[in-house]
């Protein structure tokens, strides 16, 4: 509707087409590059972007190897004070957003997804406690019917769905 209205008077517009953006990793992928791409895709800007790679489709043949490296790297992300140069991930935008993320983690657990890593607010170093922080979170054993696979979270939470090919 917006595109049609803009076309009638030649108005320049950009339409947002993001939401549950997938990353797909096939068996012949360069695993290291794929892990690095998936890391940037979901954990950039604390996952608070409409194009965050919040769904990760992994071929069964590379799933275990990929998840081992992905988990290892996610657990090395330093969450905390965004003014600290060693921090890699700052806070969520608001308390409401943090609560939203936590509720989705609860939905995922209730629906049978497995928390591979993360899933809660971190214990921060140096006593820094101001802010709405959440750990980089990886869910495995996700299927397409789960809310965490269908609905936008806008946080550092990725849903891993395996496939055979």
């Amino acid at each position: 509707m917006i595109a049609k209205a803009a076309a009638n008077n030649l108005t320049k517009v950009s339409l947002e087409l993001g939401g549950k953006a997938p990353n797909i990793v096939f068996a012949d992928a360069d695993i290291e590059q794929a892990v690095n791409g998936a890391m940037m895709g979901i954990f950039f800007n604390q996952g608070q972007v409409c194009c965050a790679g919040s769904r990760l489709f992994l071929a069964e043949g590379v799933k275990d190897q990929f998840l081992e490296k992905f988990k290892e790297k996610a657990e090395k992300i330093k969450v905390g004070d965004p003014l600290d140069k060693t921090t890699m991930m700052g806070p969520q935008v608001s308390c409401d957003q943090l609560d939203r993320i936590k509720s989705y983690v609860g939905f995922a657990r209730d629906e049978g997804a497995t928390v591979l890593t993360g899933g809660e607010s971190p214990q921060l170093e140096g006593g820094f406690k101001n802010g709405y922080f959440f750990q980089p979170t990886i869910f495995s054993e996700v299927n397409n019917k789960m809310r965490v696979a269908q609905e936008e979270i806008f946080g550092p939470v990725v849903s891993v769905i395996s496939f055979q090919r």
Side-chain angles (χ1 to χ4, degrees):
M1 190 166 184
I2 293 172
K4 184 177 179 180
N8 287 337
N9 63 12
L10 301 177
T11 302
K12 288 186 178 185
V13 297
S14 293
L15 302 177
E16 192 274 301
L17 300 174
K20 297 311 286 181
N23 284 309
I24 305 170
V25 181
F26 290 96
D28 61 349
D30 178 319
I31 298 301
E32 192 66 32
Q33 282 189 336
V35 167
N36 290 339
M39 292 287 295
M40 178 60 111
I42 187 56
F43 300 130
F44 168 74
N45 203 37
Q46 297 76 244
Q48 298 176 111
V49 290
C50 61
C51 60
S54 57
R55 288 184 301 158
L56 179 57
F57 292 94
L58 298 178
E60 279 290 336
V62 296
K63 178 184 170 189
D64 292 340
Q65 180 187 6
F66 185 99
L67 287 178
E68 181 180 332
K69 289 179 186 264
F70 193 47
K71 177 181 186 255
E72 179 182 316
K73 287 189 175 205
E75 289 175 345
K76 289 181 180 176
I77 293 174
K78 182 180 177 192
V79 178
D81 181 357
L83 298 177
D84 179 341
K85 291 180 182 183
T86 64
T87 294
M88 300 164 76
M89 184 182 293
Q92 298 302 301
V93 70
S94 69
C95 183
D96 286 346
Q97 182 56 28
L98 180 63
D99 290 344
R100 176 182 168 89
I101 295 166
K102 289 177 179 180
S103 71
Y104 273 98
V105 168
F107 298 148
R109 284 181 169 136
D110 291 348
E111 292 175 344
T114 301
V115 178
L116 191 59
T117 190
E120 56 191 40
S121 291
Q123 296 295 322
L124 299 178
E125 296 176 14
F128 188 83
K129 299 193 187 314
N130 297 327
Y132 308 111
F133 299 96
F134 202 75
Q135 296 173 328
T137 301
I138 302 169
F139 275 107
S140 62
E141 310 310 320
V142 175
N143 67 57
N144 287 313
K145 293 180 181 177
M146 293 179 179
R147 288 181 70 176
V148 75
Q150 294 182 11
E151 298 176 19
E152 196 61 66
I153 299 171
F154 287 103
V157 179
V158 62
S159 300
V160 176
I161 301 168
S162 61
F163 66 92
Q164 293 185 2
R165 177 166 180 219

